[in-house]
Amino acid sequence: MTVRRLQYFVAVADELSFTAAARVLHMAQPPLSMQIRELEHELGVDLFRRGPRGVALTAAGQALLPEARQLLERYDLLPLVARRAGSGEVGRLAVGLVPSAANGRLPGVLHRFRGKFPDVHVSLVEDRPAELLRQLDAGHLDIVLQYSPPVRPAHGGRVLAEEAFVVALPPGHRLAARRSIPLQALAEEPFIMPMRHGGEGLYERIIKLLADHQVVPDVVQSDIWLLQTIVGLVAAGVGLSIVPESASVIRGGEVIYRPIAAQLDPVPLVAVWRLADESPTVRRFVAEWA
Amino acid sequence: MTVRRLQYFVAVADELSFTAAARVLHMAQPPLSMQIRELEHELGVDLFRRGPRGVALTAAGQALLPEARQLLERYDLLPLVARRAGSGEVGRLAVGLVPSAANGRLPGVLHRFRGKFPDVHVSLVEDRPAELLRQLDAGHLDIVLQYSPPVRPAHGGRVLAEEAFVVALPPGHRLAARRSIPLQALAEEPFIMPMRHGGEGLYERIIKLLADHQVVPDVVQSDIWLLQTIVGLVAAGVGLSIVPESASVIRGGEVIYRPIAAQLDPVPLVAVWRLADESPTVRRFVAEWA
DNA sequence: TTATCGACATATGATTAAGATATGACCGTA
DNA sequence: TACGGTCATATCTTAATCATATGTCGATAA
């Protein structure tokens, strides 16, 4: 029993004539008769009663017809299912985020992506960079957004956005009067550091930035997971901190953001994925940032 | 795309290895690779990522797998569906009845048949013999139960049961004292006749029976559709009547049934069906009377 | 009755697809 | 560097499918 034989069967059942069905199927009548006869032989039952002027369905044929129709419908849809999944129009996308990356353009990108591909289920996971990369390799994540380019050959990456660092100050702070803050000025200030989680994260970026300018910060608070919390502590007057520019939308009135008075490398936000997959869903998600 | 290629795809997806899948499928590995490659080419998407130690499903493959499984399941069931219908285990059976035939063993037969083949939908239609045969030819009925053998070459028939005629009397009637009633005695009695509907039905049988014995009945009531009604009229003292033996279960206490004192041909209850069909469902229904 | 038409079945040769065997390329491991 | 495992490629053989031509049967009409 093949799909084609079922198609032949349905055609003959529709036309109630071998000759007419053969015309519809763009084939000669004898092979059609053969195929139907073969099908009947395989099934062990007659599907048609042959008459001199056309054919009629037997009980078995009547029972088989709707089943065959349903099957052929599903069968015809299979290529579509595969192609849609292959082109990334359906499926799932698990995005891993370094905590501080959950800001800036991400909400807008997510919104547009979900609008374009409503059949793709997007899930967000927030964790430390090392853990995210582990889950990426394990296949639990499809893409990781972090602040450093991929270091493993199995990973592909692309810079999604570049952000400058800014200094976050409480309003009324003496440095708030200046338009830009020299890094050296921070040495004399109480400083708030984010969570340190190994690899090249926000913590390491800031440490390196300060070290490059021979500044030793007076850390009064550290190991903060979320940028929101850091900004909150700044607003409360605990100290000041360095955050990505995109964080400056947080607590507009209560915290002052000032650029750093130095020529700095911008911080890249990098998407990392498995090269082995090259999932079109991932490609489309990355393309959304362009 | 063929069913076999889908089966191959599922096998490889299950084993996550071409070599292992080929073993399961009892075939060599190269043709399996070929078939999968062909399938991928047709669909326009890759289904597997080939690695040095096995393969993994792509997004398209993951999407296709459950669909293919479902399709194959239905596909495997198709022969069963056709065969069960072909053997008469499922389907429908439309039985046409001459009104007076709806008695005797029919309820028991119906009950047993429905017990044996619960998936066969049995419907009963009561009408005149001529109309029933017309509907039989039109395909609206599968079998007709009547009191005469088939007269058309397109029809097959079999006697399901033979019944003697008996006389139905009201209790206390003067003839009730006798063990058997001579037909001539009926000439002096008020007589109730069933509905006349052309063809060879109960009416014609009784008319012929009486004529054969030179009895002219005193018909006080006629055109009664149902035997139950006739028996009811007898019980009410309207008159007496001749009914098939099987009707003697009706109104046990209120009506007396007596055999006819004459050597009579028994009345055959005949099943009639289309020879062209030879439906197994019809065969099984007829066999139930054996 | 016989001729003819229409519809399905049978027969045979040509084309195409699917399978097996043998071999090659590539990666990881000892 | 050699070896084992896995998938890809090449070639041949076999089997299935299709088309053309022809046969059979029943219905219809002269």
Side-chain angles (χ1 to χ4, degrees):
Chain A
M1 187 174 60
T2 68
V3 167
R4 189 179 27 198
R5 283 181 178 165
L6 289 178
Q7 289 169 332
Y8 289 176
F9 163 68
V10 171
V12 175
D14 281 341
E15 301 291 330
L16 288 179
S17 155
F18 280 71
T19 312
R23 262 198 304 276
V24 172
L25 293 168
H26 303 293
M27 66 187 294
Q29 168 261 318
L32 179 58
S33 291
M34 287 289 244
Q35 294 297 325
I36 297 293
R37 190 161 287 281
E38 278 292 309
L39 179 61
E40 289 175 321
H41 188 73
E42 283 177 311
L43 296 177
V45 294
D46 283 359
L47 298 172
F48 296 101
R49 280 183 293 118
R50 277 88 166 164
R53 55 173 188 276
V55 295
L57 281 165
T58 63
Q62 284 176 15
L64 184 62
L65 184 56
E67 297 289 326
R69 266 196 227 281
Q70 276 190 28
L71 190 94
L72 290 177
E73 234 174 81
R74 296 185 73 97
Y75 179 82
D76 289 337
L77 288 178
L78 276 194
L80 237 91
V81 169
R83 268 193 278 271
R84 295 210 333 160
S87 64
E89 292 174 22
V90 297
R92 60 179 195 89
L93 180 73
V95 182
L97 295 170
V98 172
S100 44
N103 60 43
R105 299 171 52 200
L106 182 63
V109 167
L110 274 181
H111 188 257
R112 283 203 307 281
F113 186 84
R114 285 185 165 131
K116 282 189 185 173
F117 309 106
D119 291 332
V120 175
H121 182 72
V122 181
S123 59
L124 300 179
V125 174
E126 213 176 74
D127 214 319
R128 309 179 316 185
E131 175 62 17
L132 290 179
L133 293 176
R134 204 188 58 76
Q135 294 198 23
L136 180 67
D137 286 329
H140 300 130
L141 291 178
D142 298 304
I143 195 169
V144 168
L145 305 187
Q146 60 178 18
Y147 281 121
S148 54
V151 291
R152 307 252 302 274
H155 290 162
R158 203 182 110 179
V159 175
L160 299 179
E162 291 193 324
E163 294 194 78
F165 276 133
V166 295
V167 177
L169 314 147
H173 191 278
R174 63 174 180 89
L175 290 174
R178 312 185 57 159
R179 295 199 45 135
S180 68
I181 315 280
L183 280 173
Q184 285 75 12
L186 299 179
E188 311 151 12
E189 298 293 332
F191 201 80
I192 303 168
M193 285 294 288
M195 173 73 92
R196 165 186 219 158
H197 23 48
E200 201 169 355
L202 190 59
Y203 180 93
E204 288 76 13
R205 287 266 168 191
I206 294 174
I207 287 293
K208 183 171 179 298
L209 176 63
L210 294 174
D212 285 349
H213 293 77
Q214 288 89 33
V215 175
V216 179
D218 172 22
V219 176
V220 295
Q221 180 71 262
S222 70
D223 292 333
I224 313 297
W225 268 84
L226 298 177
L227 278 185
Q228 279 83 349
T229 310
I230 293 179
V231 173
L233 291 174
V234 170
V238 173
L240 38 85
S241 187
I242 293 178
V243 298
E245 190 180 15
S246 60
S248 58
V249 295
I250 308 171
R251 303 220 178 192
E254 309 172 48
V255 176
I256 308 294
Y257 298 95
R258 289 284 179 268
I260 293 170
Q263 194 66 24
L264 299 178
D265 290 338
V267 188
L269 177 64
V270 184
V272 178
W273 61 85
R274 292 185 300 280
L275 274 180
D277 278 15
E278 277 294 356
S279 151
T281 310
V282 168
R283 257 200 308 278
R284 287 172 184 275
F285 180 77
V286 170
E288 206 55 57
W289 293 77
Chain B
M1 187 175 62
T2 69
V3 168
R4 191 179 24 202
R5 282 180 178 166
L6 289 178
Q7 289 168 333
Y8 289 176
F9 162 68
V10 170
V12 175
D14 282 339
E15 300 291 329
L16 288 180
S17 154
F18 281 72
T19 312
R23 261 198 305 277
V24 171
L25 294 168
H26 303 292
M27 67 187 294
Q29 166 261 317
L32 179 58
S33 291
M34 285 290 228
Q35 294 298 324
I36 297 293
R37 189 161 287 281
E38 277 292 309
L39 179 61
E40 289 176 321
H41 187 74
E42 282 177 312
L43 295 176
V45 294
D46 283 358
L47 298 173
F48 295 102
R49 282 182 291 118
R50 276 88 166 161
R53 55 171 188 277
V55 295
L57 281 164
T58 63
Q62 284 175 16
L64 185 63
L65 184 56
E67 298 287 326
R69 266 195 228 280
Q70 275 190 29
L71 190 93
L72 291 177
E73 232 174 82
R74 296 184 74 98
Y75 178 82
D76 290 336
L77 288 178
L78 276 194
L80 238 93
V81 168
R83 269 192 278 271
R84 294 211 333 161
S87 64
E89 291 173 23
V90 297
R92 62 180 193 90
L93 181 73
V95 182
L97 294 170
V98 174
S100 45
N103 59 45
R105 299 171 51 200
L106 183 63
V109 167
L110 275 181
H111 187 257
R112 282 202 307 281
F113 185 84
R114 285 185 165 130
K116 282 190 187 173
F117 308 106
D119 291 332
V120 175
H121 182 74
V122 181
S123 60
L124 299 179
V125 175
E126 212 176 74
D127 215 317
R128 308 180 315 183
E131 175 62 17
L132 291 179
L133 292 176
R134 203 187 60 75
Q135 292 198 25
L136 180 67
D137 285 329
H140 300 131
L141 291 178
D142 298 305
I143 195 169
V144 168
L145 304 186
Q146 60 178 19
Y147 280 122
S148 54
V151 291
R152 306 251 302 274
H155 291 162
R158 202 180 110 181
V159 175
L160 299 180
E162 292 193 322
E163 295 191 77
F165 277 132
V166 295
V167 177
L169 313 148
H173 192 279
R174 62 176 181 87
L175 290 175
R178 309 186 58 161
R179 296 201 45 139
S180 68
I181 316 279
L183 281 173
Q184 285 75 13
L186 298 179
E188 312 149 12
E189 297 292 332
F191 201 80
I192 302 167
M193 285 295 287
M195 172 74 90
R196 164 185 220 159
H197 24 47
E200 202 171 354
L202 188 60
Y203 181 94
E204 289 77 13
R205 286 265 169 191
I206 293 174
I207 287 293
K208 183 170 179 298
L209 175 64
L210 295 174
D212 284 350
H213 292 78
Q214 288 89 35
V215 174
V216 179
D218 171 23
V219 175
V220 294
Q221 181 71 261
S222 70
D223 291 334
I224 313 297
W225 269 83
L226 299 178
L227 279 184
Q228 279 83 347
T229 310
I230 292 180
V231 172
L233 292 173
V234 171
V238 173
L240 38 84
S241 187
I242 292 177
V243 298
E245 190 182 15
S246 61
S248 58
V249 296
I250 307 171
R251 302 218 176 194
E254 309 172 49
V255 176
I256 307 296
Y257 298 94
R258 289 284 179 267
I260 294 171
Q263 193 64 25
L264 299 177
D265 289 338
V267 190
L269 177 64
V270 183
V272 178
W273 60 87
R274 293 184 301 279
L275 274 181
D277 277 14
E278 278 293 356
S279 150
T281 309
V282 167
R283 256 201 308 278
R284 286 172 184 275
F285 181 77
V286 169
E288 206 55 57
W289 293 78

